[in-house]
Amino acid sequence: MLTKQKKRNTIIQSALKLFSTKGFYNTTISEISEKMGVSVGNIYNYFPSKKSLAQASIRYVTNKLATELRYINSLEISQKEKIRHFVTVYLQFVHRNPEIIEYFFKVYLSNRELFCDKDDCGFALAKEFIDEVEFLVEKGVSEGEFEKIDFYMAFSLVTGILGSITFLNSENAFMKDLDTYIDDVSTLICKGLSR
Amino acid sequence: MLTKQKKRNTIIQSALKLFSTKGFYNTTISEISEKMGVSVGNIYNYFPSKKSLAQASIRYVTNKLATELRYINSLEISQKEKIRHFVTVYLQFVHRNPEIIEYFFKVYLSNRELFCDKDDCGFALAKEFIDEVEFLVEKGVSEGEFEKIDFYMAFSLVTGILGSITFLNSENAFMKDLDTYIDDVSTLICKGLSR
Amino acid sequence: MLTKQKKRNTIIQSALKLFSTKGFYNTTISEISEKMGVSVGNIYNYFPSKKSLAQASIRYVTNKLATELRYINSLEISQKEKIRHFVTVYLQFVHRNPEIIEYFFKVYLSNRELFCDKDDCGFALAKEFIDEVEFLVEKGVSEGEFEKIDFYMAFSLVTGILGSITFLNSENAFMKDLDTYIDDVSTLICKGLSR
Amino acid sequence: MLTKQKKRNTIIQSALKLFSTKGFYNTTISEISEKMGVSVGNIYNYFPSKKSLAQASIRYVTNKLATELRYINSLEISQKEKIRHFVTVYLQFVHRNPEIIEYFFKVYLSNRELFCDKDDCGFALAKEFIDEVEFLVEKGVSEGEFEKIDFYMAFSLVTGILGSITFLNSENAFMKDLDTYIDDVSTLICKGLSR
DNA sequence: CATGAATGAGTGTTCATTCAT
DNA sequence: GATGAATGAACACTCATTCAT
């Protein structure tokens, strides 16, 4: 028997796959339960609503990405190398766990209504990840590798490029393997951040 | 009395506002008709389905952006200046007609199922715009202003950054007026494209 | 310019074709108007409602059939010969003006709600035809050609067989030309009516 | 708790009553569910669409009739006696379960579009019944009781007369109890089939 | 008379959520 | 906990009818 938390994660993983491919509103609880082989009602023993499942999913996804980036940030290498590492890891995710990345772009960024409760606008759910990006950039600035620019600009550069590539990839725009672009992408980001 | 085409556009504009703020699936035809002050049925005299309204909307939006960019491309100025012009126009759109831009990012990019018919995956709907970006970049390369890089990289840079900023803005992340960022954004893009 | 009555008939004829093939509820006023090349609104200048158009149609159809039968009844021939004549005419109708016959069986007999107003149950609409059948049968009885049976039995025999054949024909059940069956059908009816 | 199949039948029975009295297009799923005392949605747990409910209903009806006729066909009596038996049973149905019979004539025969899928024109749904009629007639011919005539003629005779009587009865045309006509009707049919 | 855009009540169908077992 | 039948509000879409032009 799985622990309660383990089962929650199993549900999240099934949900992620469906949410990321078909979108939140085109995925039914029924489909998720079928995919998992459990009953509809049972899912409600773990999540009080479809919306809360979407929120738990973004926490799960953010944590995966933040964990990777946190680890990279802990390494004793230059910030540019960190960026290259992160791009590498990111593109691997896109390839091997597209649901992780696509959930971020297809559900989280596009269905804000799902993540905003009352005053909090669901930004906090991604904070863990944003903080690591901020850490990386700031360190680069303080160490003289990067130019000091508005953080939102830096953030837009990093996530914008990665997001675009994710989208193009999901549309099968790329002929070659995504790995091929590791250099291109990290260079592009570094050029933007550098002095 | 409005001409048929004019009325179609009025409907599209109402739809755009709602689709872009609430998303396609959270917007009902009933809401669109109420907002317009016409009956539900009347909308169906102009568009055979909600989906087709979404498609007409993306054509409308793409055309607006492409028209601006086409005009800029026709000017006798450097490519970097063109980029600055476009960023300016773009940020003005974000400010004055957010529905145009947000529709692109919140509906078109995230609800691909709405735009894919049979074999064609709805990419064509944005071609008009993509072509102008390509033209601008290629010209920059041939005139020695930009480095020759994979077009998808260049495209990711341009739309990724603009998309990110749009998203951050819609989340009210920016303290200052968007215009303030014209320089930052165009510099960022140009740095990425330059040699 | 057509007279008012002529135009009414033109509308009825278009309606008949559609009603008889697609059924009353699957035919829209819009389709009828398109088929005729007039506007929707114009139809309402001739008939106050779709239902009233259906009623006028049955009157038209009944009259066509009754007229034929009345003519046959006026001939100085045996009743059996009359039946043969009528079967011949009927099968020709089925072949050349299927809408006439099929309207009778597909709309009139199956959508009674359309023809019943208040106390009158729409039976009167077909009376003209029923009366001629009754006349033919009674004459046959009084002249000793037919056995005296309950009129409803005789009526069921005549219209039942013809109705069945109409249905089978509309399902393309018959391999051979309908004319081929003139003898079979009239013999069948006569056998039932005879002593 | 009813078994799934039992519940399907309960739904079919409710649907039959409404379809047969009001017609397919005048009956709403909502009415059926109300009549049953269940929710609208629940009906969709048993039938994927209103159309499929109509198809299941004709299967149900055909089977009821075919079962009776099959039993009669199994008896060791003359074919004429079989016909009398069947007429008896049929008229009892008309009296006690009019929805069974009227569904056949008011919905199945008049709304062909509901029963035709792709190439198959829904004729198969009634095959079970048609086959038994054919068996009865053929046996009568081979045993010398009936004349050898085109099967469609024989079929038209049998179902035509019964159909007509059903219709007249539903219009309250008959003064006397339907049972009174058992002899008349079976005699009429036998006269037509005999040598 | 003729037009056809506009109306809006009505229908089939979906699906998140509940709850008796 | 686990099940899945039951619920019912909600929504896309239709179409008879009206009426300003």
Side-chain angles (χ1 to χ4, degrees):
Chain A
M1 229 327 251
L2 294 172
T3 70
K4 183 133 187 167
Q5 187 52 47
K6 283 253 175 71
K7 182 134 182 188
R8 271 178 63 94
N9 279 346
T10 319
I11 296 173
I12 288 174
Q13 282 152 21
S14 297
L16 271 179
K17 287 220 177 70
L18 289 163
F19 284 159
S20 64
T21 26
K22 312 177 42 151
F24 179 80
Y25 294 105
N26 281 317
T27 302
T28 67
I29 293 290
S30 198
E31 281 171 311
I32 298 174
S33 76
E34 252 170 61
K35 190 181 179 77
M36 287 197 58
V38 299
S39 70
V40 171
N42 199 11
I43 289 186
Y44 281 84
N45 285 327
Y46 295 87
F47 298 94
S49 70
K50 193 183 174 188
K51 189 175 173 180
S52 73
L53 175 53
Q55 292 173 343
S57 299
I58 193 60
R59 257 180 250 119
Y60 178 90
V61 160
T62 298
N63 180 257
K64 286 271 184 214
L65 284 177
T67 301
E68 291 292 340
L69 193 43
R70 191 175 302 122
Y71 169 71
I72 292 169
N73 270 336
S74 76
L75 300 176
E76 300 275 344
I77 52 179
S78 76
Q79 311 314 304
K80 287 186 181 169
E81 282 173 299
K82 285 180 186 172
I83 284 183
R84 198 176 188 285
H85 266 58
F86 183 57
V87 169
T88 309
V89 167
Y90 183 90
L91 294 181
Q92 274 167 9
F93 263 112
V94 172
H95 187 239
R96 295 209 292 252
N97 301 94
E99 69 276 11
I100 300 272
I101 306 295
E102 288 186 16
Y103 185 76
F104 205 89
F105 288 105
K106 275 177 100 164
V107 180
Y108 181 58
L109 295 189
S110 308
N111 301 113
R112 305 301 301 152
E113 72 281 6
L114 299 175
F115 304 99
C116 297
D117 279 327
K118 298 170 200 160
D119 25 55
D120 170 27
C121 213
F123 222 45
L125 293 167
K127 191 163 187 304
E128 207 186 350
F129 172 67
I130 299 174
D131 284 351
E132 293 301 323
V133 174
E134 189 161 17
F135 178 86
L136 195 163
V137 173
E138 302 262 293
K139 188 115 188 239
V141 171
S142 72
E143 305 213 333
E145 276 183 80
F146 299 152
E147 187 174 4
K148 175 153 188 56
I149 58 173
D150 185 293
F151 172 62
Y152 287 131
M153 291 298 118
F155 185 75
S156 294
L157 178 70
V158 176
T159 57
I161 291 176
L162 295 177
S164 265
I165 284 167
T166 305
F167 169 72
L168 289 169
N169 181 59
S170 77
E171 296 284 322
N172 296 314
F174 295 115
M175 300 292 123
K176 294 176 286 179
D177 198 314
L178 266 194
D179 289 349
T180 324
Y181 295 94
I182 292 176
D183 281 334
D184 286 359
V185 176
S186 32
T187 305
L188 204 52
I189 293 175
C190 288
K191 266 169 82 179
L193 292 175
S194 298
R195 297 172 160 284
Chain B
M1 243 291 279
L2 295 172
T3 69
K4 191 125 186 170
Q5 187 53 49
K6 283 255 174 68
K7 179 129 185 191
R8 270 177 66 94
N9 280 345
T10 318
I11 297 173
I12 288 175
Q13 283 152 20
S14 296
L16 272 179
K17 288 217 177 72
L18 288 164
F19 284 160
S20 64
T21 27
K22 312 181 42 158
F24 179 80
Y25 294 106
N26 279 318
T27 302
T28 67
I29 292 289
S30 203
E31 280 172 311
I32 297 174
S33 75
E34 253 169 60
K35 189 182 180 79
M36 287 197 59
V38 300
S39 68
V40 170
N42 196 15
I43 290 188
Y44 284 87
N45 285 331
Y46 296 88
F47 298 95
S49 70
K50 192 184 174 188
K51 188 176 171 178
S52 75
L53 176 51
Q55 292 174 342
S57 298
I58 193 62
R59 257 178 251 120
Y60 179 89
V61 160
T62 298
N63 181 260
K64 285 272 183 214
L65 285 177
T67 302
E68 292 291 341
L69 193 42
R70 192 175 301 123
Y71 169 69
I72 291 168
N73 270 336
S74 76
L75 300 177
E76 299 275 343
I77 52 180
S78 77
Q79 312 312 306
K80 285 187 182 167
E81 282 173 299
K82 284 181 186 171
I83 284 183
R84 197 177 188 285
H85 265 58
F86 183 58
V87 169
T88 308
V89 166
Y90 183 90
L91 294 182
Q92 273 167 10
F93 263 113
V94 172
H95 187 239
R96 294 208 294 251
N97 301 93
E99 69 277 10
I100 301 269
I101 306 296
E102 289 186 15
Y103 184 76
F104 205 89
F105 289 105
K106 276 177 98 164
V107 179
Y108 182 57
L109 296 189
S110 310
N111 301 112
R112 306 302 301 152
E113 72 279 6
L114 300 175
F115 304 98
C116 298
D117 280 327
K118 297 171 201 155
D119 26 56
D120 170 27
C121 214
F123 223 46
L125 292 168
K127 189 161 188 306
E128 206 186 352
F129 172 67
I130 298 174
D131 284 351
E132 293 301 325
V133 175
E134 190 162 17
F135 178 87
L136 196 163
V137 172
E138 303 261 293
K139 188 113 187 240
V141 171
S142 72
E143 307 215 331
E145 276 183 80
F146 299 151
E147 186 175 5
K148 175 152 188 56
I149 58 174
D150 185 292
F151 173 62
Y152 287 131
M153 291 298 119
F155 186 75
S156 293
L157 179 70
V158 177
T159 56
I161 291 175
L162 294 178
S164 265
I165 283 167
T166 305
F167 169 72
L168 288 169
N169 181 61
S170 79
E171 296 285 322
N172 296 313
F174 294 115
M175 300 292 126
K176 295 177 286 177
D177 198 316
L178 265 193
D179 289 349
T180 324
Y181 295 94
I182 294 176
D183 281 334
D184 287 358
V185 176
S186 34
T187 305
L188 204 52
I189 293 175
C190 288
K191 267 169 81 179
L193 292 177
S194 297
R195 295 171 161 284
Chain C
M1 225 336 246
L2 295 171
T3 69
K4 185 133 184 165
Q5 187 52 49
K6 283 254 174 70
K7 181 133 182 188
R8 271 177 63 94
N9 279 346
T10 320
I11 297 173
I12 288 174
Q13 282 152 22
S14 297
L16 270 180
K17 288 220 177 70
L18 289 164
F19 285 160
S20 65
T21 26
K22 312 180 42 150
F24 179 79
Y25 293 106
N26 281 317
T27 302
T28 67
I29 292 290
S30 197
E31 281 171 311
I32 297 173
S33 76
E34 252 170 61
K35 190 181 180 79
M36 285 197 60
V38 299
S39 69
V40 171
N42 200 12
I43 290 186
Y44 282 85
N45 285 327
Y46 296 87
F47 299 95
S49 70
K50 192 184 175 187
K51 188 174 174 179
S52 74
L53 176 53
Q55 292 173 343
S57 298
I58 193 63
R59 257 179 250 118
Y60 179 91
V61 161
T62 299
N63 181 258
K64 285 273 181 209
L65 284 177
T67 302
E68 291 292 340
L69 193 42
R70 192 175 302 123
Y71 168 72
I72 292 170
N73 270 336
S74 75
L75 300 176
E76 299 276 343
I77 53 180
S78 76
Q79 311 314 305
K80 286 186 181 170
E81 282 173 301
K82 286 181 187 170
I83 283 183
R84 198 177 187 287
H85 266 58
F86 183 59
V87 168
T88 308
V89 167
Y90 183 90
L91 293 182
Q92 274 166 10
F93 263 112
V94 172
H95 187 239
R96 294 208 293 251
N97 302 93
E99 68 276 11
I100 301 271
I101 306 295
E102 288 186 15
Y103 184 77
F104 204 89
F105 289 104
K106 274 178 103 165
V107 179
Y108 181 58
L109 295 188
S110 308
N111 302 112
R112 305 302 301 150
E113 71 280 6
L114 300 176
F115 305 98
C116 298
D117 280 327
K118 298 171 199 156
D119 24 58
D120 170 28
C121 213
F123 222 46
L125 293 167
K127 191 162 188 303
E128 206 186 351
F129 172 67
I130 299 174
D131 284 352
E132 292 300 325
V133 176
E134 189 161 18
F135 178 88
L136 196 164
V137 173
E138 303 261 294
K139 187 114 186 240
V141 171
S142 73
E143 306 215 331
E145 274 184 83
F146 299 151
E147 186 174 6
K148 176 154 189 50
I149 58 173
D150 185 293
F151 172 61
Y152 287 130
M153 292 298 118
F155 186 75
S156 293
L157 178 69
V158 177
T159 57
I161 291 175
L162 293 178
S164 263
I165 283 167
T166 305
F167 169 73
L168 289 170
N169 181 59
S170 77
E171 296 284 322
N172 296 314
F174 295 115
M175 301 291 123
K176 295 176 285 178
D177 199 315
L178 266 193
D179 290 349
T180 324
Y181 294 94
I182 293 175
D183 281 335
D184 285 358
V185 175
S186 35
T187 305
L188 204 52
I189 293 175
C190 288
K191 265 169 83 178
L193 293 175
S194 298
R195 296 172 160 284
Chain D
M1 243 290 280
L2 296 171
T3 69
K4 191 125 186 170
Q5 187 52 50
K6 283 255 175 67
K7 179 130 184 192
R8 270 177 67 93
N9 280 346
T10 317
I11 296 173
I12 288 175
Q13 282 152 20
S14 296
L16 272 179
K17 288 218 177 73
L18 289 163
F19 284 160
S20 65
T21 28
K22 312 181 43 156
F24 179 80
Y25 294 106
N26 280 317
T27 302
T28 67
I29 292 290
S30 202
E31 281 171 312
I32 298 174
S33 75
E34 251 170 62
K35 189 182 180 78
M36 287 197 60
V38 300
S39 69
V40 170
N42 197 15
I43 290 186
Y44 283 86
N45 284 331
Y46 296 87
F47 299 94
S49 69
K50 192 184 174 189
K51 189 175 172 180
S52 75
L53 176 52
Q55 292 174 343
S57 298
I58 193 62
R59 257 179 251 119
Y60 179 91
V61 161
T62 298
N63 181 258
K64 286 271 182 215
L65 285 177
T67 301
E68 292 291 340
L69 192 43
R70 192 175 302 123
Y71 168 71
I72 292 169
N73 270 336
S74 75
L75 300 176
E76 298 275 343
I77 54 180
S78 76
Q79 311 313 306
K80 287 187 181 168
E81 282 172 300
K82 285 181 187 172
I83 283 183
R84 196 175 190 287
H85 266 57
F86 183 59
V87 169
T88 308
V89 167
Y90 183 90
L91 293 181
Q92 273 166 12
F93 262 112
V94 172
H95 187 238
R96 294 208 293 249
N97 302 93
E99 69 278 10
I100 300 271
I101 306 296
E102 289 187 15
Y103 184 77
F104 203 90
F105 289 104
K106 275 177 99 163
V107 179
Y108 182 58
L109 295 189
S110 309
N111 302 110
R112 304 303 299 152
E113 71 280 7
L114 300 176
F115 304 97
C116 298
D117 280 327
K118 296 171 202 155
D119 23 58
D120 171 27
C121 213
F123 222 47
L125 293 167
K127 189 161 190 303
E128 206 186 352
F129 173 66
I130 299 174
D131 283 351
E132 294 300 324
V133 175
E134 188 161 19
F135 178 88
L136 197 163
V137 173
E138 303 262 292
K139 187 114 188 240
V141 171
S142 73
E143 306 214 331
E145 277 184 78
F146 300 151
E147 186 174 5
K148 176 153 189 52
I149 59 173
D150 185 292
F151 173 62
Y152 287 131
M153 291 298 120
F155 186 76
S156 293
L157 178 70
V158 176
T159 57
I161 291 176
L162 294 178
S164 266
I165 283 167
T166 304
F167 170 73
L168 289 170
N169 181 59
S170 77
E171 296 285 322
N172 297 313
F174 294 115
M175 301 291 125
K176 294 176 284 176
D177 196 316
L178 265 193
D179 289 350
T180 324
Y181 294 93
I182 293 175
D183 280 335
D184 286 358
V185 176
S186 34
T187 305
L188 204 52
I189 292 174
C190 288
K191 267 169 79 179
L193 293 176
S194 298
R195 296 170 159 286

